Amino acid sequence: MAQRPSVKGVADIVSLIDGLRTVTGRARVTWYLVFGGLFLDAYANAALSAGLGPMTDQMELSSTQISVLTATAPALAILFNPIGGWLATRIGRVPPLLIAKVLAVAGAMLAAFAGDFTTVWFGRVLVGMAYGIDFAVAMALLAEYTPKASSGRLNLWQAVWYTATTSNLVLALGFFHLDVGQDIWRWSLGSAGVIAAALLILQAIWLVESPAWLASKGRLTEAVRNLRRIYGIDAVAEEPEDGTGPATQAPTIGFRHAGLLFRGAYLPRTILSSVISLAQGMQYFAVGWYLPVISLTIFGDSFEKATMGSIVFNAVGIGGGLASAYLGYRLGLRMSSAWGFGGVFVALVLMGLTFGSAPIVIAFCLPVLFILCHSAGPGANGKSIAALSYSSDIRALGTGVTGMVGSFGSVVGLYVFPQIKDALGLGNTFLVLSVVPLLGLITCLVISWEPTRADASPDKDDTLPADGAPAVTTTGAHDR
Protein backbone atom coordinates (compact mmCIF):
# COMPACT_ATOMS: atom_id res chain seq x y z
CA MET A 1 0.00 0.00 0.00
CA ALA A 2 1.34 3.44 -0.95
CA GLN A 3 2.29 5.66 1.96
CA ARG A 4 -0.11 8.54 2.57
CA PRO A 5 1.54 11.95 2.07
CA SER A 6 1.93 14.00 5.22
CA VAL A 7 0.87 17.63 5.60
CA LYS A 8 2.78 19.90 7.99
CA GLY A 9 1.72 23.25 6.59
CA VAL A 10 0.58 25.35 3.64
CA ALA A 11 3.57 24.41 1.44
CA ASP A 12 2.61 20.73 1.62
CA ILE A 13 -1.01 21.52 0.68
CA VAL A 14 0.16 23.59 -2.28
CA SER A 15 2.57 20.86 -3.43
CA LEU A 16 -0.16 18.22 -3.37
CA ILE A 17 -2.57 20.39 -5.36
CA ASP A 18 0.15 21.46 -7.81
CA GLY A 19 0.90 17.78 -8.38
CA LEU A 20 -2.43 17.52 -10.21
CA ARG A 21 -2.56 18.30 -13.90
CA THR A 22 -6.09 19.72 -13.87
CA VAL A 23 -9.23 20.06 -11.75
CA THR A 24 -11.72 17.19 -11.97
CA GLY A 25 -14.75 15.83 -10.13
CA ARG A 26 -15.99 17.93 -7.21
CA ALA A 27 -13.07 20.31 -7.69
CA ARG A 28 -14.38 21.20 -11.15
CA VAL A 29 -17.93 21.76 -9.82
CA THR A 30 -16.72 24.06 -7.05
CA TRP A 31 -14.39 25.84 -9.47
CA TYR A 32 -17.27 26.73 -11.80
CA LEU A 33 -19.52 27.71 -8.92
CA VAL A 34 -16.96 30.28 -7.79
CA PHE A 35 -16.80 31.53 -11.37
CA GLY A 36 -20.60 31.77 -11.21
CA GLY A 37 -20.21 34.54 -8.66
CA LEU A 38 -18.04 36.51 -11.09
CA PHE A 39 -20.73 35.93 -13.76
CA LEU A 40 -23.26 37.44 -11.36
CA ASP A 41 -21.05 40.48 -10.69
CA ALA A 42 -20.82 41.27 -14.39
CA TYR A 43 -24.48 40.47 -15.01
CA ALA A 44 -25.64 42.79 -12.23
CA ASN A 45 -23.54 45.62 -13.67
CA ALA A 46 -24.87 45.02 -17.19
CA ALA A 47 -28.45 44.82 -15.88
CA LEU A 48 -28.40 48.51 -14.99
CA SER A 49 -26.74 49.51 -18.25
CA ALA A 50 -29.27 47.64 -20.40
CA GLY A 51 -32.26 49.24 -18.69
CA LEU A 52 -30.89 52.69 -17.90
CA GLY A 53 -32.63 54.41 -20.83
CA PRO A 54 -36.17 53.17 -20.04
CA MET A 55 -35.56 53.77 -16.30
CA THR A 56 -34.50 57.34 -17.02
CA ASP A 57 -37.68 57.99 -19.00
CA GLN A 58 -40.00 56.31 -16.49
CA MET A 59 -38.54 57.94 -13.38
CA GLU A 60 -37.56 61.19 -15.11
CA LEU A 61 -34.02 60.97 -13.77
CA SER A 62 -31.67 63.92 -13.98
CA SER A 63 -28.17 63.62 -15.41
CA THR A 64 -26.79 63.83 -11.88
CA GLN A 65 -29.00 60.97 -10.71
CA ILE A 66 -27.91 58.87 -13.70
CA SER A 67 -24.27 59.54 -12.87
CA VAL A 68 -24.81 58.58 -9.22
CA LEU A 69 -26.51 55.30 -10.17
CA THR A 70 -23.78 54.44 -12.65
CA ALA A 71 -20.98 55.16 -10.17
CA THR A 72 -22.48 53.55 -7.09
CA ALA A 73 -21.41 49.91 -7.64
CA PRO A 74 -17.76 50.57 -8.65
CA ALA A 75 -17.43 53.25 -5.95
CA LEU A 76 -18.67 50.85 -3.24
CA ALA A 77 -16.34 48.18 -4.64
CA ILE A 78 -13.38 50.47 -3.85
CA LEU A 79 -14.26 50.11 -0.18
CA PHE A 80 -15.54 46.55 -0.10
CA ASN A 81 -12.76 44.90 -2.12
CA PRO A 82 -10.33 45.18 0.82
CA ILE A 83 -13.14 44.47 3.30
CA GLY A 84 -13.86 41.26 1.39
CA GLY A 85 -10.17 40.39 1.49
CA TRP A 86 -10.05 41.05 5.23
CA LEU A 87 -13.11 38.87 5.85
CA ALA A 88 -11.65 36.05 3.76
CA THR A 89 -8.42 36.23 5.74
CA ARG A 90 -10.20 36.18 9.10
CA ILE A 91 -13.17 33.82 8.68
CA GLY A 92 -12.36 31.84 5.54
CA ARG A 93 -13.07 32.06 1.83
CA VAL A 94 -16.56 30.57 1.64
CA PRO A 95 -18.55 32.64 4.22
CA PRO A 96 -17.87 36.02 2.50
CA LEU A 97 -18.97 34.56 -0.85
CA LEU A 98 -22.30 33.54 0.68
CA ILE A 99 -22.68 36.94 2.36
CA ALA A 100 -22.12 38.56 -1.05
CA LYS A 101 -24.93 36.51 -2.60
CA VAL A 102 -27.35 37.53 0.16
CA LEU A 103 -26.50 41.18 -0.47
CA ALA A 104 -26.89 40.68 -4.23
CA VAL A 105 -30.36 39.13 -3.84
CA ALA A 106 -31.51 41.92 -1.52
CA GLY A 107 -30.07 44.66 -3.74
CA ALA A 108 -31.55 43.30 -6.96
CA MET A 109 -35.02 42.82 -5.50
CA LEU A 110 -35.01 46.22 -3.83
CA ALA A 111 -34.07 47.97 -7.08
CA ALA A 112 -36.44 45.92 -9.25
CA PHE A 113 -39.50 46.81 -7.16
CA ALA A 114 -38.42 50.38 -6.39
CA GLY A 115 -40.86 53.24 -6.76
CA ASP A 116 -38.37 56.09 -6.56
CA PHE A 117 -34.75 56.97 -7.22
CA THR A 118 -33.63 56.64 -3.59
CA THR A 119 -34.80 53.05 -3.36
CA VAL A 120 -33.11 52.11 -6.63
CA TRP A 121 -29.91 53.74 -5.41
CA PHE A 122 -29.97 51.86 -2.11
CA GLY A 123 -30.44 48.61 -4.03
CA ARG A 124 -27.36 49.47 -6.09
CA VAL A 125 -25.45 50.16 -2.85
CA LEU A 126 -26.09 46.57 -1.75
CA VAL A 127 -25.11 45.29 -5.20
CA GLY A 128 -21.85 47.29 -5.03
CA MET A 129 -21.07 45.82 -1.61
CA ALA A 130 -21.67 42.32 -2.98
CA TYR A 131 -19.55 43.02 -6.05
CA GLY A 132 -16.61 44.28 -4.00
CA ILE A 133 -16.65 41.36 -1.55
CA ASP A 134 -17.22 38.63 -4.12
CA PHE A 135 -14.52 39.62 -6.60
CA ALA A 136 -11.77 39.95 -3.99
CA VAL A 137 -12.54 36.59 -2.39
CA ALA A 138 -13.40 34.60 -5.52
CA MET A 139 -10.04 35.20 -7.19
CA ALA A 140 -8.16 34.19 -4.04
CA LEU A 141 -10.20 30.99 -3.70
CA LEU A 142 -9.82 30.13 -7.38
CA ALA A 143 -6.04 30.53 -7.10
CA GLU A 144 -5.99 28.14 -4.14
CA TYR A 145 -8.25 25.63 -5.85
CA THR A 146 -6.21 25.56 -9.08
CA PRO A 147 -3.06 23.47 -9.74
CA LYS A 148 -0.05 25.40 -11.04
CA ALA A 149 -0.29 23.66 -14.43
CA SER A 150 -3.79 25.11 -14.88
CA SER A 151 -3.17 28.57 -13.41
CA GLY A 152 -3.75 30.22 -16.80
CA ARG A 153 -7.40 29.22 -16.50
CA LEU A 154 -7.89 31.98 -13.94
CA ASN A 155 -8.01 34.36 -16.89
CA LEU A 156 -11.27 32.76 -18.01
CA TRP A 157 -13.02 35.16 -15.65
CA GLN A 158 -12.74 37.76 -18.42
CA ALA A 159 -14.69 35.54 -20.83
CA VAL A 160 -17.20 34.94 -18.03
CA TRP A 161 -17.56 38.72 -17.62
CA TYR A 162 -18.37 39.31 -21.28
CA THR A 163 -20.62 36.24 -21.42
CA ALA A 164 -22.63 37.63 -18.52
CA THR A 165 -22.88 41.05 -20.17
CA THR A 166 -23.98 39.49 -23.44
CA SER A 167 -26.51 37.25 -21.65
CA ASN A 168 -28.12 40.26 -20.02
CA LEU A 169 -28.34 42.09 -23.34
CA VAL A 170 -29.93 39.05 -25.00
CA LEU A 171 -32.39 38.78 -22.12
CA ALA A 172 -33.17 42.50 -22.46
CA LEU A 173 -34.04 41.89 -26.11
CA GLY A 174 -36.31 39.06 -25.00
CA PHE A 175 -38.08 41.35 -22.53
CA PHE A 176 -38.34 43.97 -25.29
CA HIS A 177 -40.19 41.51 -27.53
CA LEU A 178 -42.49 40.57 -24.62
CA ASP A 179 -43.74 44.16 -24.71
CA VAL A 180 -42.99 44.98 -21.08
CA GLY A 181 -42.55 48.61 -22.06
CA GLN A 182 -40.54 50.95 -19.85
CA ASP A 183 -40.60 48.35 -17.06
CA ILE A 184 -37.90 46.46 -18.96
CA TRP A 185 -35.31 47.73 -16.45
CA ARG A 186 -37.21 46.07 -13.59
CA TRP A 187 -37.09 42.71 -15.35
CA SER A 188 -33.40 43.16 -16.12
CA LEU A 189 -32.45 44.00 -12.52
CA GLY A 190 -34.80 41.38 -11.09
CA SER A 191 -33.26 38.60 -13.20
CA ALA A 192 -29.92 39.30 -11.48
CA GLY A 193 -31.61 38.59 -8.16
CA VAL A 194 -32.87 35.23 -9.42
CA ILE A 195 -29.35 34.24 -10.49
CA ALA A 196 -27.95 35.39 -7.12
CA ALA A 197 -30.51 33.30 -5.23
CA ALA A 198 -29.69 30.19 -7.28
CA LEU A 199 -25.95 30.70 -6.70
CA LEU A 200 -26.50 31.23 -2.97
CA ILE A 201 -28.16 27.82 -2.68
CA LEU A 202 -25.65 25.98 -4.88
CA GLN A 203 -22.57 27.55 -3.27
CA ALA A 204 -23.90 26.83 0.23
CA ILE A 205 -24.29 23.17 -0.73
CA TRP A 206 -21.15 22.58 -2.80
CA LEU A 207 -18.38 24.98 -1.82
CA VAL A 208 -15.66 23.61 0.45
CA GLU A 209 -13.30 25.78 2.45
CA SER A 210 -9.83 26.24 0.99
CA PRO A 211 -7.37 23.66 2.38
CA ALA A 212 -4.56 26.20 2.01
CA TRP A 213 -6.40 28.75 4.15
CA LEU A 214 -7.18 26.12 6.78
CA ALA A 215 -3.52 25.09 6.88
CA SER A 216 -2.44 28.72 7.23
CA LYS A 217 -4.61 28.88 10.38
CA GLY A 218 -3.09 25.72 11.82
CA ARG A 219 -6.23 23.64 11.17
CA LEU A 220 -4.38 20.79 9.46
CA THR A 221 -6.93 18.07 10.25
CA GLU A 222 -9.67 20.06 8.49
CA ALA A 223 -7.26 20.92 5.67
CA VAL A 224 -6.48 17.28 4.83
CA ARG A 225 -10.19 16.41 5.15
CA ASN A 226 -11.05 19.05 2.54
CA LEU A 227 -8.21 17.87 0.31
CA ARG A 228 -9.92 14.50 0.27
CA ARG A 229 -13.39 15.99 -0.31
CA ILE A 230 -12.31 18.24 -3.18
CA TYR A 231 -9.55 16.33 -4.94
CA GLY A 232 -9.68 12.81 -3.53
CA ILE A 233 -6.15 13.26 -2.14
CA ASP A 234 -5.72 11.03 0.91
CA ALA A 235 -3.18 12.79 3.14
CA VAL A 236 -2.48 12.80 6.86
CA ALA A 237 -1.98 15.82 9.14
CA GLU A 238 1.39 15.84 10.88
CA GLU A 239 2.77 18.18 13.51
CA PRO A 240 5.90 20.02 12.26
CA GLU A 241 9.03 18.65 13.92
CA ASP A 242 10.20 22.02 15.21
CA GLY A 243 6.78 22.92 16.55
CA THR A 244 6.87 26.33 14.92
CA GLY A 245 4.74 25.76 11.84
CA PRO A 246 1.09 26.52 11.15
CA ALA A 247 -0.04 23.50 13.18
CA THR A 248 0.92 25.32 16.37
CA GLN A 249 0.69 28.92 15.24
CA ALA A 250 -2.28 30.47 13.47
CA PRO A 251 -1.17 33.87 12.17
CA THR A 252 -3.82 36.55 12.19
CA ILE A 253 -3.58 38.89 9.24
CA GLY A 254 -5.60 42.10 9.25
CA PHE A 255 -5.63 45.56 7.68
CA ARG A 256 -2.62 46.53 9.80
CA HIS A 257 -0.59 44.02 7.77
CA ALA A 258 -1.35 45.67 4.42
CA GLY A 259 2.17 47.08 4.53
CA LEU A 260 3.46 43.55 3.82
CA LEU A 261 2.20 43.98 0.25
CA PHE A 262 4.69 46.82 -0.26
CA ARG A 263 7.78 45.24 1.28
CA GLY A 264 10.64 43.16 -0.01
CA ALA A 265 9.88 40.83 -2.90
CA TYR A 266 6.15 41.58 -2.64
CA LEU A 267 6.63 45.23 -3.64
CA PRO A 268 7.20 44.76 -7.40
CA ARG A 269 4.39 42.19 -7.53
CA THR A 270 1.96 44.61 -5.89
CA ILE A 271 3.02 47.44 -8.21
CA LEU A 272 2.65 45.25 -11.29
CA SER A 273 -0.78 43.84 -10.43
CA SER A 274 -2.05 47.23 -9.22
CA VAL A 275 -0.91 49.12 -12.32
CA ILE A 276 -2.42 46.49 -14.64
CA SER A 277 -5.68 46.53 -12.68
CA LEU A 278 -5.82 50.34 -12.53
CA ALA A 279 -4.96 50.85 -16.22
CA GLN A 280 -7.37 48.22 -17.52
CA GLY A 281 -10.18 49.68 -15.40
CA MET A 282 -9.54 53.19 -16.65
CA GLN A 283 -9.24 52.28 -20.32
CA TYR A 284 -12.22 49.92 -20.41
CA PHE A 285 -14.73 52.08 -18.58
CA ALA A 286 -13.62 55.25 -20.36
CA VAL A 287 -14.04 53.74 -23.84
CA GLY A 288 -16.89 51.48 -22.72
CA TRP A 289 -18.81 54.64 -21.87
CA TYR A 290 -18.82 55.53 -25.57
CA LEU A 291 -19.49 52.07 -27.04
CA PRO A 292 -23.27 52.68 -27.05
CA VAL A 293 -22.64 55.85 -29.06
CA ILE A 294 -20.49 53.91 -31.54
CA SER A 295 -23.12 51.18 -31.66
CA LEU A 296 -25.87 53.68 -32.41
CA THR A 297 -23.78 55.18 -35.21
CA ILE A 298 -23.15 51.82 -36.85
CA PHE A 299 -26.33 49.84 -36.17
CA GLY A 300 -29.05 52.48 -35.95
CA ASP A 301 -30.83 54.46 -33.28
CA SER A 302 -33.53 52.01 -32.14
CA PHE A 303 -33.28 50.13 -28.83
CA GLU A 304 -33.22 46.79 -30.64
CA LYS A 305 -30.49 47.73 -33.12
CA ALA A 306 -28.34 49.45 -30.51
CA THR A 307 -28.62 46.42 -28.22
CA MET A 308 -27.66 44.10 -31.07
CA GLY A 309 -24.61 46.27 -31.72
CA SER A 310 -23.58 46.03 -28.07
CA ILE A 311 -24.00 42.25 -28.25
CA VAL A 312 -21.60 42.14 -31.21
CA PHE A 313 -18.95 44.11 -29.30
CA ASN A 314 -19.34 41.94 -26.20
CA ALA A 315 -19.11 38.77 -28.30
CA VAL A 316 -15.64 39.95 -29.32
CA GLY A 317 -14.86 40.29 -25.61
CA ILE A 318 -15.88 36.67 -25.03
CA GLY A 319 -13.44 35.56 -27.73
CA GLY A 320 -10.68 37.68 -26.23
CA GLY A 321 -11.41 36.39 -22.74
CA LEU A 322 -11.14 32.79 -23.92
CA ALA A 323 -7.91 33.62 -25.72
CA SER A 324 -6.50 35.21 -22.54
CA ALA A 325 -6.30 31.80 -20.85
CA TYR A 326 -4.25 30.41 -23.75
CA LEU A 327 -2.07 33.51 -24.07
CA GLY A 328 -1.49 33.57 -20.32
CA TYR A 329 -0.26 29.98 -20.52
CA ARG A 330 1.92 30.51 -23.61
CA LEU A 331 3.32 33.99 -22.94
CA GLY A 332 2.82 34.37 -19.20
CA LEU A 333 0.43 36.84 -17.59
CA ARG A 334 2.91 39.72 -17.66
CA MET A 335 3.84 39.53 -21.34
CA SER A 336 0.29 38.86 -22.49
CA SER A 337 -0.64 42.03 -20.58
CA ALA A 338 2.17 43.91 -22.32
CA TRP A 339 1.01 42.80 -25.78
CA GLY A 340 -2.59 43.65 -24.89
CA PHE A 341 -1.67 47.13 -23.68
CA GLY A 342 0.29 47.66 -26.89
CA GLY A 343 -2.72 46.74 -29.02
CA VAL A 344 -5.04 48.98 -26.99
CA PHE A 345 -2.56 51.86 -27.32
CA VAL A 346 -2.52 51.51 -31.11
CA ALA A 347 -6.32 51.23 -31.29
CA LEU A 348 -6.86 54.37 -29.18
CA VAL A 349 -4.35 56.43 -31.16
CA LEU A 350 -6.00 55.42 -34.43
CA MET A 351 -9.48 56.07 -33.00
CA GLY A 352 -8.35 59.53 -31.95
CA LEU A 353 -6.70 60.40 -35.26
CA THR A 354 -9.53 59.10 -37.47
CA PHE A 355 -12.59 59.94 -35.38
CA GLY A 356 -15.34 61.43 -37.52
CA SER A 357 -13.49 60.84 -40.79
CA ALA A 358 -12.92 57.07 -40.99
CA PRO A 359 -15.18 54.85 -43.14
CA ILE A 360 -17.86 52.91 -41.25
CA VAL A 361 -15.90 49.66 -41.56
CA ILE A 362 -12.82 51.20 -39.93
CA ALA A 363 -14.96 52.94 -37.31
CA PHE A 364 -16.33 49.49 -36.41
CA CYS A 365 -13.03 47.58 -36.54
CA LEU A 366 -11.08 49.89 -34.25
CA PRO A 367 -13.35 49.38 -31.20
CA VAL A 368 -13.29 45.66 -31.99
CA LEU A 369 -9.47 45.77 -31.91
CA PHE A 370 -9.63 47.66 -28.62
CA ILE A 371 -11.96 45.13 -26.95
CA LEU A 372 -10.06 42.13 -28.32
CA CYS A 373 -6.67 43.36 -27.08
CA HIS A 374 -8.11 44.48 -23.76
CA SER A 375 -9.95 41.26 -22.98
CA ALA A 376 -7.16 38.97 -24.22
CA GLY A 377 -4.52 40.74 -22.13
CA PRO A 378 -4.72 43.22 -19.25
CA GLY A 379 -8.50 42.97 -18.79
CA ALA A 380 -8.05 39.62 -17.07
CA ASN A 381 -4.48 39.68 -15.88
CA GLY A 382 -4.45 42.29 -13.13
CA LYS A 383 -6.66 40.18 -10.87
CA SER A 384 -5.06 36.89 -11.93
CA ILE A 385 -1.52 38.10 -11.20
CA ALA A 386 -2.62 39.36 -7.78
CA ALA A 387 -4.25 36.03 -6.93
CA LEU A 388 -1.05 34.14 -7.82
CA SER A 389 1.52 36.53 -6.32
CA TYR A 390 0.87 36.24 -2.59
CA SER A 391 1.09 33.46 -0.02
CA SER A 392 -2.17 32.03 1.35
CA ASP A 393 -2.11 34.04 4.58
CA ILE A 394 -2.27 37.40 2.75
CA ARG A 395 -3.64 36.35 -0.66
CA ALA A 396 -7.18 37.61 -0.05
CA LEU A 397 -5.81 40.87 1.34
CA GLY A 398 -3.64 41.25 -1.78
CA THR A 399 -6.50 40.58 -4.20
CA GLY A 400 -8.68 42.94 -2.19
CA VAL A 401 -6.22 45.81 -2.42
CA THR A 402 -5.66 45.19 -6.14
CA GLY A 403 -9.42 45.05 -6.69
CA MET A 404 -9.79 48.35 -4.85
CA VAL A 405 -7.25 49.95 -7.17
CA GLY A 406 -9.04 48.53 -10.22
CA SER A 407 -12.40 49.84 -8.99
CA PHE A 408 -10.82 53.25 -8.51
CA GLY A 409 -9.68 53.08 -12.13
CA SER A 410 -13.25 52.25 -13.17
CA VAL A 411 -14.61 55.31 -11.38
CA VAL A 412 -11.93 57.52 -12.93
CA GLY A 413 -12.70 56.12 -16.37
CA LEU A 414 -16.41 56.76 -15.95
CA TYR A 415 -16.14 60.33 -14.67
CA VAL A 416 -12.86 62.00 -15.46
CA PHE A 417 -12.70 61.18 -19.14
CA PRO A 418 -16.28 62.27 -19.93
CA GLN A 419 -15.23 65.66 -18.61
CA ILE A 420 -12.15 65.61 -20.84
CA LYS A 421 -14.46 64.73 -23.73
CA ASP A 422 -16.62 67.81 -23.02
CA ALA A 423 -13.51 70.00 -22.98
CA LEU A 424 -11.49 68.49 -25.85
CA GLY A 425 -13.91 66.44 -27.95
CA LEU A 426 -14.18 62.68 -28.33
CA GLY A 427 -11.27 62.23 -30.78
CA ASN A 428 -8.80 64.08 -28.55
CA THR A 429 -10.14 62.17 -25.53
CA PHE A 430 -9.06 58.90 -27.15
CA LEU A 431 -5.60 60.37 -27.70
CA VAL A 432 -5.33 61.50 -24.07
CA LEU A 433 -6.56 58.09 -22.90
CA SER A 434 -3.85 56.33 -24.93
CA VAL A 435 -1.37 57.39 -22.23
CA VAL A 436 -2.99 54.84 -19.87
CA PRO A 437 -2.16 51.65 -21.83
CA LEU A 438 1.25 53.10 -22.67
CA LEU A 439 2.06 53.37 -18.95
CA GLY A 440 0.70 49.86 -18.45
CA LEU A 441 2.95 48.56 -21.23
CA ILE A 442 6.04 50.24 -19.76
CA THR A 443 5.30 48.82 -16.30
CA CYS A 444 4.95 45.28 -17.70
CA LEU A 445 8.30 45.61 -19.46
CA VAL A 446 10.13 47.06 -16.43
CA ILE A 447 8.86 44.64 -13.74
CA SER A 448 9.67 41.06 -14.69
CA TRP A 449 7.68 39.06 -12.11
CA GLU A 450 5.87 36.11 -13.71
CA PRO A 451 3.70 34.01 -11.35
CA THR A 452 2.94 31.25 -13.86
CA ARG A 453 6.56 30.04 -13.89
CA ALA A 454 6.94 26.53 -12.51
CA ASP A 455 9.25 27.73 -9.71
CA ALA A 456 7.09 30.73 -8.71
CA SER A 457 5.10 29.67 -5.65
CA PRO A 458 4.80 32.21 -2.80
CA ASP A 459 3.55 29.54 -0.39
CA LYS A 460 6.82 27.62 -0.84
CA ASP A 461 9.07 30.68 -0.57
CA ASP A 462 10.24 31.17 3.01
CA THR A 463 12.14 34.38 2.18
CA LEU A 464 8.97 36.43 1.77
CA PRO A 465 7.76 38.67 4.63
CA ALA A 466 4.94 37.11 6.64
CA ASP A 467 2.84 38.05 9.65
CA GLY A 468 4.69 41.22 10.48
CA ALA A 469 8.17 39.80 9.92
CA PRO A 470 10.98 42.23 9.13
CA ALA A 471 11.11 43.45 5.58
CA VAL A 472 12.93 41.22 3.15
CA THR A 473 14.97 42.89 0.46
CA THR A 474 15.83 39.78 -1.49
CA THR A 475 16.33 40.30 -5.21
CA GLY A 476 16.75 37.92 -8.08
CA ALA A 477 14.43 34.99 -8.64
CA HIS A 478 11.92 36.13 -6.08
CA ASP A 479 11.44 39.49 -7.80
CA ARG A 480 11.07 38.13 -11.27
Side-chain angles (χ1 to χ4, degrees):
M1 177 181 291
Q3 185 176 1
R4 297 163 66 190
S6 64
V7 171
K8 299 179 181 179
V10 177
D12 294 326
I13 294 286
V14 173
S15 293
L16 289 171
I17 295 175
D18 284 349
L20 304 172
R21 298 302 302 170
T22 186
V23 289
T24 58
R26 179 166 186 151
R28 178 171 292 178
V29 174
T30 55
W31 205 81
Y32 283 117
L33 278 177
V34 177
F35 255 156
L38 304 184
F39 178 95
L40 172 64
D41 297 334
Y43 189 95
N45 277 286
L48 177 65
S49 176
L52 192 57
M55 180 196 294
T56 300
D57 294 337
Q58 188 179 74
M59 290 193 164
E60 299 181 347
L61 301 179
S62 66
S63 58
T64 300
Q65 289 174 320
I66 294 172
S67 296
V68 169
L69 282 181
T70 305
T72 294
L76 264 293
I78 293 176
L79 176 63
F80 280 87
N81 270 136
I83 288 177
W86 175 78
L87 283 172
T89 300
R90 303 282 293 200
I91 65 176
R93 312 312 198 201
V94 175
L97 293 180
L98 301 181
I99 292 171
K101 303 308 175 298
V102 172
L103 292 172
V105 171
M109 293 298 101
L110 195 61
F113 292 100
D116 54 44
F117 166 79
T118 302
T119 308
V120 175
W121 174 79
F122 188 67
R124 295 305 295 178
V125 167
L126 296 179
V127 169
M129 293 165 61
Y131 171 42
I133 293 172
D134 197 274
F135 231 113
V137 181
M139 293 305 295
L141 183 57
L142 285 169
E144 291 168 359
Y145 272 169
T146 309
K148 173 69 73 173
S150 300
S151 58
R153 294 179 62 185
L154 291 180
N155 274 8
L156 289 175
W157 79 263
Q158 185 77 172
V160 169
W161 181 279
Y162 283 101
T163 299
T165 304
T166 304
S167 299
N168 189 271
L169 290 169
V170 170
L171 196 62
L173 274 182
F175 293 143
F176 176 80
H177 288 295
L178 288 176
D179 248 355
V180 299
Q182 290 188 326
D183 279 335
I184 190 171
W185 65 271
R186 299 184 185 274
W187 290 83
S188 184
L189 293 175
S191 64
V194 174
I195 295 174
L199 277 172
L200 173 61
I201 295 171
L202 292 172
Q203 288 188 347
I205 294 172
W206 281 93
L207 289 190
V208 176
E209 188 55 75
S210 164
W213 179 82
L214 289 169
S216 75
K217 296 300 180 182
R219 296 158 61 177
L220 294 183
T221 301
E222 295 172 74
V224 297
R225 183 188 305 130
N226 282 5
L227 269 180
R228 188 180 305 111
R229 292 177 64 191
I230 302 172
Y231 306 99
I233 298 175
D234 190 16
V236 59
E238 182 178 336
E239 186 81 14
E241 294 178 3
D242 58 7
T244 61
T248 57
Q249 293 182 359
T252 300
I253 300 295
F255 284 126
R256 68 183 184 278
H257 296 96
L260 293 173
L261 306 177
F262 302 92
R263 290 164 53 184
Y266 279 144
L267 176 60
R269 305 179 191 188
T270 299
I271 293 175
L272 180 64
S273 60
S274 296
V275 169
I276 293 175
S277 189
L278 175 68
Q280 69 85 21
M282 290 178 67
Q283 68 188 25
Y284 174 75
F285 281 94
V287 175
W289 182 270
Y290 301 110
L291 284 181
V293 177
I294 298 171
S295 179
L296 286 171
T297 302
I298 298 172
F299 297 101
D301 58 0
S302 72
F303 174 84
E304 188 172 15
K305 290 181 179 179
T307 303
M308 283 299 300
S310 296
I311 289 174
V312 170
F313 286 130
N314 280 280
V316 174
I318 295 174
L322 293 173
S324 71
Y326 173 78
L327 293 174
Y329 172 75
R330 297 294 299 179
L331 302 176
L333 300 183
R334 179 179 64 89
M335 287 309 298
S336 63
S337 296
W339 280 102
F341 276 132
V344 169
F345 172 72
V346 171
L348 287 175
V349 169
L350 292 177
M351 288 167 69
L353 293 176
T354 64
F355 181 75
S357 60
I360 292 295
V361 174
I362 301 299
F364 169 75
C365 288
L366 289 177
V368 166
L369 175 64
F370 171 92
I371 294 172
L372 185 63
C373 293
H374 170 85
S375 58
N381 290 341
K383 297 184 185 298
S384 298
I385 286 181
L388 295 170
S389 293
Y390 304 106
S391 58
S392 297
D393 53 347
I394 65 168
R395 178 173 287 122
L397 187 63
T399 56
V401 169
T402 299
M404 177 185 68
V405 173
S407 295
F408 178 76
S410 302
V411 173
V412 172
L414 283 168
Y415 286 95
V416 172
F417 285 98
Q419 296 181 32
I420 297 177
K421 176 256 183 183
D422 289 341
L424 302 179
L426 188 53
N428 288 330
T429 298
F430 290 140
L431 291 176
V432 171
L433 180 61
S434 68
V435 174
V436 174
L438 180 60
L439 292 176
L441 171 61
I442 293 172
T443 302
C444 289
L445 295 179
V446 170
I447 299 177
S448 57
W449 162 249
E450 179 49 61
T452 60
R453 289 195 338 266
D455 62 338
S457 180
D459 281 309
K460 302 175 186 177
D461 189 348
D462 59 7
T463 68
L464 292 171
D467 195 24
V472 177
T473 56
T474 318
T475 57
H478 303 304
D479 289 327
R480 291 195 297 271

